Amino acid sequence: MIEARQRAYLEAMGFDVWVAKPPPPDWSRLVIGPGDGSTLLVCSAAENCSTALAGDITRALGNNPAWAWPDPDPNMGTPLEDAIENRLFTRLVVFGEDLAGKMFGKDVPAVMASSSISIAPGLDELAVRGTAKQALWRIISSDAKADV
């Protein structure tokens, strides 16, 4: 009998069913998606990089950036600094102050290894606020000038 069916039977009989929670994501390790550009875009979950907004951001950057997200399985991801060094990223954009705080703690460095670090508004905020989009555009355009 499959576990979900067992749980349903127990719940139907009035038993409390306890299920182990999955471990929280490891904020210091990332799963890195495809992309061979010099930019790494970090969002809070894998499903966020497949949205229409994420596609628009990718096209606006124009250099085939890679998307990354915190590793849900603590044994599989790559440490951020190793990812920067191995894939030669020169620009890191983290979407959301909350995510940046979880990744770096209170003090977000301006540079890590060879990569400049920028904190952009979260993707949820970018979807609904024009001022958030303007802030992202300022980050993208200032980083583009620095690349020249």
Side-chain angles (χ1 to χ4, degrees):
M1 192 180 317
I2 60 174
E3 184 178 324
R5 183 177 279 174
Q6 288 175 335
R7 219 175 23 246
Y9 280 129
L10 290 171
E11 288 172 352
M13 292 187 303
F15 289 100
D16 290 332
V17 179
W18 293 61
V19 180
K21 290 172 74 174
D26 185 349
W27 303 106
S28 65
R29 300 177 74 83
L30 300 174
V31 175
I32 301 173
D36 58 6
S38 61
T39 302
L40 179 62
L41 306 171
V42 182
C43 60
S44 59
E47 58 271 6
N48 293 343
C49 31
S50 61
T51 63
L53 177 60
D56 291 343
I57 292 168
T58 300
R59 282 187 293 282
L61 287 169
N63 66 357
N64 197 19
W67 283 89
W69 53 92
D71 183 14
D73 180 359
N75 300 320
M76 298 300 291
T78 303
L80 177 59
E81 195 161 355
D82 290 351
I84 291 171
E85 290 176 4
N86 294 338
R87 300 274 299 267
L88 303 176
F89 294 118
T90 58
R91 176 170 47 177
L92 171 69
V93 180
V94 179
F95 289 93
E97 292 284 337
D98 290 343
L99 178 58
K102 290 174 183 173
M103 289 176 65
F104 300 108
K106 188 176 180 180
D107 298 318
V108 177
V111 175
M112 178 180 276
S114 62
S115 183
S116 65
I117 299 174
S118 301
I119 309 304
L123 292 174
D124 292 340
E125 189 177 356
L126 284 166
V128 296
R129 286 193 38 230
T131 55
K133 291 176 184 170
Q134 291 171 346
L136 176 61
W137 187 253
R138 283 192 296 274
I139 289 169
I140 290 172
S141 61
S142 69
D143 285 347
K145 289 176 188 171
D147 288 345
V148 174

